[in-house]
Amino acid sequence: MSAETVVRDALRRAVGSVADLQTVDEFWVPRSNERADLAVVGPTLDGFEIKTHFDTLSRLPRQIGAYGRLFDRCTAVVADKHRPEVERLVPEWWGLMSVKVDSNQVVFHSERVAGMNPSIDPETLVRLLWRDEAASVLTHFGRAPSPGATRGSMWRDILTSTTIVELRMAVRTTLANRDPATARIATRRFTNPKVEPQPF
């Protein structure tokens, strides 16, 4: 088992232990080739990026840009050797956790609590919705699509029909209610049991 897997499993247990939160490994970030190591779906959509002692930081600037378009909050979980450089690279609103792994024992320490992202991109966020989910969101907001509407056209309609606050809530609710058994992308499957559906 890789160091990253060990850390991610421990992190998932730590942050996913709260009721009504769901965790997603390798969460796909639209409009990029990036996948956050762990995402947590709850009152906010939180992304976590893990950098163990064996990792490099070569991809981190690209990941910072991609995650900043999507997540409400982001946290870098890093080995001590990376901490000074990560502190220099990540925006002030990112959280920072240090992690130590010793004989598969994982210890986290919060160095900085994540703040709220000031610049979420609605066009990135809306792309998390699958076609049937986009139709459901539009219907909820009184803009039921035609039967032949494409996913792209529905995304555009959602963007013109909702505020960023409404869109964030709709996407979080959709992700929380998504059935893992029918998820079409394996790396977006939930690792925690499905929570009870909540209204938009």
Side-chain angles (χ1 to χ4, degrees), residues 44 75-76 84 99 105 119 122 132 141 143 163 180 183 189 192 197-198:
T44 56
T75 300
V99 59
Q105 295 296 311
S119 56
D132 57 338
F141 286 107
R143 294 281 298 272
T163 65
R189 287 180 183 167
N192 284 356
Q198 299 293 323

Side-chain angles (χ1 to χ4, degrees), residues 128-163:
L128 288 175
L129 299 173
W130 297 341
R131 187 181 184 281
D132 57 338
E133 294 166 344
S136 177
V137 169
L138 270 177
T139 300
H140 171 80
F141 286 107
R143 294 281 298 272
S146 64
T150 66
R151 183 174 58 176
S153 68
M154 288 190 286
W155 286 341
R156 289 190 293 273
D157 285 348
I158 290 170
L159 291 174
T160 60
S161 304
T162 63
T163 65

Side-chain angles (χ1 to χ4, degrees), residues 5-106:
T5 301
V6 170
V7 172
R8 182 167 53 204
D9 288 350
L11 182 64
R12 187 192 312 116
R13 290 192 296 270
V15 301
S17 60
V18 180
D20 297 333
L21 294 183
Q22 296 201 62
T23 58
V24 189
D25 289 358
E26 307 234 346
F27 189 92
W28 172 66
V29 179
R31 310 181 84 180
S32 78
N33 292 319
E34 305 301 334
R35 292 179 186 269
D37 286 314
L38 188 72
V40 178
V41 183
T44 56
L45 180 60
D46 293 7
F48 293 83
E49 182 58 31
I50 298 167
K51 298 298 183 188
T52 71
H53 183 83
F54 302 100
D55 293 319
T56 72
L57 302 182
S58 61
R59 291 175 54 221
L60 185 59
R62 201 163 65 240
Q63 292 166 324
I64 290 170
Y67 301 175
R69 291 190 291 271
L70 180 67
F71 292 107
D72 295 314
R73 300 185 301 191
C74 291
T75 300
V77 182
V78 303
D80 283 341
K81 80 168 192 175
H82 294 311
R83 194 170 132 200
E85 182 67 3
V86 171
E87 283 184 308
R88 186 185 70 81
L89 289 171
V90 299
E92 290 184 0
W93 61 269
W94 273 57
L96 185 64
M97 295 175 67
S98 59
V99 59
K100 290 184 181 1
V101 182
D102 184 17
S103 300
N104 284 350
Q105 295 296 311
V106 183

Side-chain angles (χ1 to χ4, degrees), residues 100-134:
K100 290 184 181 1
V101 182
D102 184 17
S103 300
N104 284 350
Q105 295 296 311
V106 183
V107 178
F108 300 104
H109 185 267
S110 178
E111 308 290 346
R112 186 171 77 199
V113 177
M116 292 298 293
N117 182 354
S119 56
I120 292 172
D121 175 30
E123 292 189 8
T124 299
L125 185 61
V126 77
R127 289 168 183 260
L128 288 175
L129 299 173
W130 297 341
R131 187 181 184 281
D132 57 338
E133 294 166 344

